[in-house]
C-alpha cells in the first residue's frame, strides 16, 4: 500500500519537523463518509504516481485527538505539511486533475519565503 495510516502514536516519525525536508499529504476521512470514499481512489493513485512523497491517512473516528489537533470540522479534509509548516488545509474531495495541480504547486513552493512569512506573522522576525 502506498499510503500510511497516521496516528498520534506515529505522527512524529511520519511527519517531519521544521528541519525535515520532506512533505506530507494528509487525508482526514471516515468510513461512513461518501465523499471520503469517492476521494480515496484519487488519493491512492496520486500516492502511486508520487512515491517520493508521503501520503498519510487519518481515520477521524479512530484518531479523534489527532483530528481535533488539526481543527478538522468537515471531511474529507486534505492537509499538506512541508518542512514542519502546514501549507494547505481544505475540506472537500478534489477531482484528480485539481489534486495533481495542487501537488505541483506544493512542490514549487519557496519554503524559505513561506518560513519567512510564518516568522513575520508570529512576530519572531
Amino acid at each position: 500500500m502506498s499510503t500510511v495510516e497516521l496516528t498520534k502514536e506515529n505522527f512524529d516519525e511520519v511527519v517531519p519537523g521544521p528541519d525535515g525536508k520532506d512533505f506530507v499529504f494528509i487525508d482526514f476521512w471516515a468510513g461512513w463518509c461518501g465523499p471520503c470514499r469517492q476521494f480515496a481512489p484519487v488519493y491512492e493513485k496520486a500516492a502511486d504516481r508520487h512515491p517520493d512523497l508521503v501520503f498519510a491517512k487519518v481515520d477521524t473516528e479512530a484518531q479523534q485527538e489527532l483530528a481535533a489537533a488539526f481543527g478538522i470540522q468537515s471531511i474529507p479534509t486534505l492537509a499538506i505539511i512541508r518542512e514542519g509548516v502546514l501549507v494547505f488545509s481544505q475540506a472537500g474531495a478534489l477531482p484528480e486533475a485539481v489534486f495533481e495541480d495542487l501537488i505541483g504547486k506544493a512542490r514549487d513552493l519557496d519554503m524559505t519565503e513561506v518560513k519567512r512569512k510564518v516568522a513575520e506573522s508570529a512576530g519572531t522576525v
Side-chain angles (χ1 to χ4, degrees):
M1 185 142 110
S2 51
T3 61
V4 61
E5 182 181 348
L6 187 60
T7 66
K8 70 177 193 170
E9 290 77 24
N10 71 358
F11 185 87
D12 289 337
E13 58 186 81
V14 173
V15 179
D19 297 328
K21 297 301 174 199
D22 300 351
F23 58 105
V24 180
F25 290 78
I26 306 172
D27 175 22
F28 291 88
W29 66 283
W32 52 262
C33 167
C36 298
R37 289 193 306 271
Q38 287 179 309
F39 182 58
V42 171
Y43 194 74
E44 291 290 335
K45 280 186 203 172
D48 289 341
R49 275 194 302 272
H50 302 278
D52 59 315
L53 303 177
V54 176
F55 287 81
K57 294 180 73 74
V58 174
D59 179 345
T60 57
E61 293 291 303
Q63 297 296 320
Q64 293 180 11
E65 194 175 327
L66 191 53
F70 275 83
I72 303 303
Q73 296 182 0
S74 299
I75 52 173
T77 290
L78 178 67
I80 304 172
I81 298 176
R82 184 159 173 207
E83 296 180 29
V85 178
L86 179 66
V87 296
F88 180 86
S89 181
Q90 179 178 303
L94 298 174
E96 190 170 342
V98 173
F99 189 35
E100 282 296 320
D101 185 54
L102 179 62
I103 292 168
K105 287 179 179 173
R107 285 184 184 277
D108 291 343
L109 281 175
D110 177 348
M111 288 308 294
T112 302
E113 180 66 12
V114 169
K115 288 180 179 183
R116 185 187 65 73
K117 287 180 179 179
V118 168
E120 279 179 9
S121 70
T124 58
V125 173

